[in-house]
Every structure is written in C-alpha cells, then in structure tokens.
Amino acid sequence: MYEDLRSFTKYYDERGEVKYYETQLSTNLEIAREIFYNDEGDILFFKRVKNYKLPVVANVLARRSRLLFALKSKSNAEAYTRLLEASRNPLTLREKDDAPFLECSAKDLRALPILKHFSADGGPYITSGIVVAKDVDEDIYNASFHRLQVIDPQHLVIRVVPRHLYTMMRKAWDKGKDLEIAIVLGVSPTVMIAAAASPPYGIFELEVANRILEGSLEGFRSPNGIIVPRMTEIVIQGRILRETFHNEGPFVDITGTYDIVRKQPVVEVEKVYLRENAWYEALLPSGSEHRLLMGFEREARIWDTVRRVVPRVKAVRLTKGGCGWLHCVISLKKQSEGDAKNAILAAFAAHPSLKLVIVVDEDIDVENPMEVEWALATRFQASKDLIIINNVRGSSLDPSADQETLLTSKMGIDATRSLFKSKDKFERVKP
Ligand code: MN
C-alpha cells in the first residue's frame, strides 16, 4: 500500500508528520542546515529550491517509528525478524513495461538539485542514491548505497568499499568492460532499508524489499538491462569507467567527522530519467536517517546472535552517542551468572565494527543514557565486570583507531546485578 515514496509521504502528511518549506532555499548548505536542525524530526519537503525546478524531500526515515512502519512492524523485534527473514527469502519482482520516470529525461546532472551538505565538503554529493548493477557472468543483481560526488555535469566519483558492487566492478574490468549501472533516487523507504542491509552476494536487495512488501514492489528493466523499482522518481543511467579514478572527498561520514580523501572510480552519466515534477530525495550524512539506515540491520543481527546464547534479550540499541554504529546497549534477563559476558562476545561477533557493548538488566531502558549510566553506577565493578580486547579489527570510521592497521580496542561492560546477592539491594525505589 505504501510501496513508493509519494504514498509513504502522503500517509505521514495525513498524520501531520510532514513539514513544508515555502521559502526558497539553496542546495548550497541551506537545505542541509535545515535537515541538520530537524534530526529525528518530521519528513521535510522543500517546495522551492533556488535555480532548480524539482522540490527536495528529506528525513523520510529519520525517525525510528517510520522505519518500523516501512517494515510493516509494530515493534523492533518484529521488524528485526521481518528484515532477517526477507533476506533469506527474496521474492522476484513482477516486471512491467512502462514506468513513470520515462516521462522526462535530461542529458546530465544539471537538472538535479544535488546538495552540498557541509562547508568543507569536496563538492555536491548524491547521498540517497542506490546503485543497481548486474554481475557480468551470472544472473546476479545487487543494490547498495554509495555516496557520489559530482565532478562535472557528466561525471561522478563513487566511493566503493570492497563489497558486492566492488566485486561486480572488478569482474567487468577484468573482462575489459565498464560496469553498467542504474542509480535510483527517490524510492520506497522499504527499498532503502533493504539496500542498506547486507544480505550475502547473490541475494538481490530489491527482492528482499519485495518480500517485505508482500510482492507489491513492481520492477522495470531500464534501457541498459538493469532492473529498478518501477515507481522511482529519478534514474541515472551510467557506467563505472574501467580503471579510471578521481579524488573523492572530503566528506562527512556517520561519525560526524571528515573522512579522508581517496582515489575512487569514476561514473560516466549517460542519461537522467525523471518523472514530471520529480522529487529529489536528500539524505544528510551523519544525520539520524543515515544512522538508522546503516545501523538497523546490524541491530537486527546483534539481537539475533545474542538471542542464541542467552535465554531472553529484551532490547538492543546502537546508541546515538555511539554514532548508531560503534556503541551498543543490550538489555536482557539473566538466568546464569556469565550470561552478560557471553552476550558481549556474541555482539562483537555479530557486528565487527562494534567498539563498546554495555549489558544491562531488563528494568533499564536502553534508549535512556541516564538509566544506563545509573546501572553502571550501581551494578558494575570494573575489576570483574569489564572485558577489554586489544588489537582487533574495528571500524575504519572510528578516527581514534590506528588508521594504518585499523586495529582497535574493544570494551564490554557487564552492568547487570549479581544473581547471588539479594535482588532488593539493586532495585530502584519508586514513589
Ligand atoms: Mn548485496
């Protein structure tokens, strides 16, 4: 029912969760600033953009409640289950032979209101772009988020970490070919969540989204043979040029700090397809939508893995202060002494980028940093409840990790009360 961006936004508009801007704002820092100051807030709709015809929509999944709704779930646990199960049971898209984005076209990127987010950024960046590609040898597709920096109206430089798109790119290059891609912008929020997840190579993220949407996501085969969601606002058709590199960055990543400049592959834009009055979707780097999209599937994996080693996990949260990526709080019902430490080890195994895990009892709200600290103050002794693991691989995003080796130290804190001592001693008194 809400399988595209417009119907999803309309649903929230009817509930007063869309904020409209009538004032004209610029793509150069002004729109990004509004998104920054509406972190975790309403969906933002910028009707008038200086020098551009298209409106800009942002913050679509900036709030957890909207992300749960996009996963057709009422609780985090239900959403984790739905996402993990869909990743194991993808559903092929029904293809149609027309799509609204064929209504208009442009020859280059000048038609699009691409934002510059922060003043020291290397340039304007497409940040909500999902890159869809096909393996040159096999009938395997992939859809994943990549930041794309504009170098000129016909070229982008794409950050490609060594994962699935990288594999497809290398395979094409080894055969002496460019890699054909379709960059989709403005899709169903469910597609965004699936594209931000990391199912194994060979599982097509659009088919994961289609499973969650119970088969209602329609596909369209774009002119270069790549399947894209039919109800996409904008499709950029292009190719990752063989062995062609350009400086990428500086760019602010999920930590809110600047990532380093690297040589990355260049994308040549062939054609831009767009709906009449297309919406351009923006996504603020380091904002709550970025954290939720990147972190939610990891939260699901941590929940699923910890659940296998301890009897009852109440909640898992990648915290805001931990950039939605590096720090995790887990609340559980302890049955044996040692459960919390096993949970810590399981969490580190489930999400290798984790740097800190805090385990608390069920009565502590993982969303409330004050309660978590209270548990540390009253239930934690560093001499026996602290685990430190040195010289392990961590996240390349952590500026404090050794930037050459990426080695880091990890810390686990067991802030659960002892089962051997009287429970009353650790209960919080209520009026
Ligand atoms: Mn993939």
Side-chain angles (χ1 to χ4, degrees):
M1 227 173 139
Y2 309 106
E3 63 275 5
D4 65 77
L5 176 62
R6 293 194 188 198
S7 58
F8 188 87
T9 306
K10 185 166 177 277
Y11 174 88
Y12 279 102
D13 184 38
E14 284 160 2
R15 282 149 186 83
E17 258 186 67
V18 181
K19 181 174 172 182
Y20 291 94
Y21 287 79
E22 307 284 344
T23 334
Q24 189 181 66
L25 289 173
S26 162
T27 54
N28 185 29
L29 307 176
E30 289 183 359
I31 290 176
R33 184 174 53 210
E34 287 305 315
I35 308 172
F36 185 90
Y37 287 114
N38 283 279
D39 200 51
E40 294 180 54
D42 290 347
I43 295 174
L44 306 179
F45 198 93
F46 302 92
K47 288 185 173 175
R48 297 175 64 225
V49 182
K50 195 177 171 188
N51 299 328
Y52 294 93
K53 284 199 198 114
L54 311 187
V56 171
V57 61
N59 258 7
V60 175
L61 291 175
R63 203 173 267 161
R64 187 176 283 262
S65 55
R66 293 200 289 269
L67 184 133
L68 296 186
F69 181 71
L71 289 170
K72 294 179 172 285
S73 303
K74 293 203 160 52
S75 70
N76 286 292
E78 191 186 350
Y80 297 152
T81 307
R82 189 146 295 166
L83 181 57
L84 295 171
E85 278 180 0
S87 303
R88 287 188 288 265
N89 300 291
L91 180 62
T92 312
L93 274 66
R94 271 182 298 123
E95 285 182 44
K96 291 273 174 85
D97 52 14
D98 72 283
F101 62 78
L102 297 172
E103 286 166 354
C104 304
S105 69
K107 65 177 171 44
D108 62 44
L109 299 167
R110 279 176 293 192
L112 307 180
I114 302 170
L115 305 191
K116 185 178 177 186
H117 302 92
F118 298 101
S119 60
D121 285 4
Y125 263 91
I126 295 173
T127 46
S128 69
I130 296 170
V131 177
V132 190
K134 184 183 176 298
D135 187 298
V136 283
D137 296 325
E138 299 168 81
D139 198 27
I140 286 176
Y141 290 83
N142 189 70
S144 48
F145 275 95
H146 297 269
R147 67 196 197 215
L148 298 140
Q149 182 185 351
V150 179
I151 339 174
D152 65 50
Q154 216 74 49
H155 295 92
L156 298 154
V157 53
I158 180 169
R159 170 78 171 128
V160 191
V161 293
R163 289 196 61 255
H164 301 162
L165 183 67
Y166 183 90
T167 304
M168 289 180 172
M169 181 183 87
R170 282 282 164 197
K171 276 184 152 181
W173 287 4
D174 288 347
K175 286 190 162 5
K177 294 178 183 166
D178 299 335
L179 182 70
E180 303 263 6
I181 57 168
I183 303 165
V184 300
L185 284 158
V187 289
S188 149
T190 315
V191 170
M192 294 176 79
I193 299 165
S198 322
Y201 192 74
I203 302 274
F204 188 20
E205 290 79 359
L206 294 186
E207 297 183 353
V208 172
N210 192 33
R211 171 64 69 190
I212 297 166
L213 293 169
E214 294 157 353
S216 64
L217 185 72
E218 292 172 340
F220 176 80
R221 202 167 286 267
S222 77
N224 61 357
I226 291 165
I227 301 166
V228 299
R230 190 178 156 259
M231 297 307 283
T232 302
E233 294 291 318
I234 299 163
V235 176
I236 302 169
Q237 183 181 302
R239 49 183 71 224
I240 303 181
L241 299 177
R242 182 170 170 263
E243 305 285 358
T244 310
F245 301 93
H246 191 278
N247 274 344
E248 187 274 319
F251 180 80
V252 174
D253 215 318
I254 198 168
T255 48
T257 56
Y258 270 102
D259 196 1
I260 58 167
V261 175
R262 301 176 185 85
K263 291 271 182 228
Q264 291 290 300
V266 172
V267 172
E268 188 164 272
V269 174
E270 285 158 358
K271 202 163 187 181
V272 179
Y273 296 94
L274 64 170
R275 293 181 72 159
E276 212 179 325
N277 309 313
W279 295 5
Y280 178 84
E281 187 169 7
L283 201 159
L284 183 74
S286 79
S288 55
E289 184 173 28
H290 185 187
R291 290 192 300 272
L292 275 168
L293 276 172
M294 242 174 104
F296 192 80
E297 192 228 17
R298 300 311 162 109
E299 232 177 63
R301 287 201 221 173
I302 295 167
W303 175 79
D304 195 45
T305 312
V306 175
R307 227 157 48 106
R308 288 161 206 270
V309 300
V310 295
R312 197 157 110 204
V313 179
K314 186 181 178 203
V316 172
R317 191 63 80 254
L318 285 165
T319 65
K320 186 177 178 182
C323 315
W325 192 247
L326 299 172
H327 292 177
C328 173
V329 180
I330 301 168
S331 66
L332 49 79
K333 184 172 172 62
K334 206 161 73 165
Q335 230 158 46
S336 335
E337 220 39 74
D339 274 352
K341 288 210 176 76
N342 283 14
I344 290 167
L345 298 175
F348 282 137
H351 177 32
S353 292
L354 267 191
K355 191 178 167 187
L356 167 66
V357 180
I358 300 174
V359 181
V360 294
D361 294 299
E362 276 189 312
D363 60 331
I364 303 296
D365 178 5
V366 296
E367 299 236 41
N368 186 339
M370 204 83 82
E371 284 198 22
V372 174
E373 191 183 355
W374 179 84
L376 257 71
T378 61
R379 297 174 182 180
F380 165 72
Q381 281 294 307
S383 60
K384 59 184 177 65
D385 300 326
L386 176 68
I387 304 175
I388 294 174
I389 308 163
N390 289 318
N391 296 317
V392 277
R393 193 172 63 81
S395 172
S396 62
L397 299 169
D398 170 12
S400 79
D402 187 315
Q403 291 298 302
E404 296 264 297
T405 61
L406 292 182
L407 291 180
T408 188
S409 291
K410 304 196 177 202
M411 175 162 71
I413 291 177
D414 172 0
T416 58
R417 63 186 163 227
S418 165
L419 292 173
F420 301 128
K421 291 182 187 155
S422 151
K423 203 178 165 198
D424 305 344
K425 230 180 128 183
F426 299 102
E427 281 299 326
R428 202 169 8 176
V429 178
K430 293 210 172 97

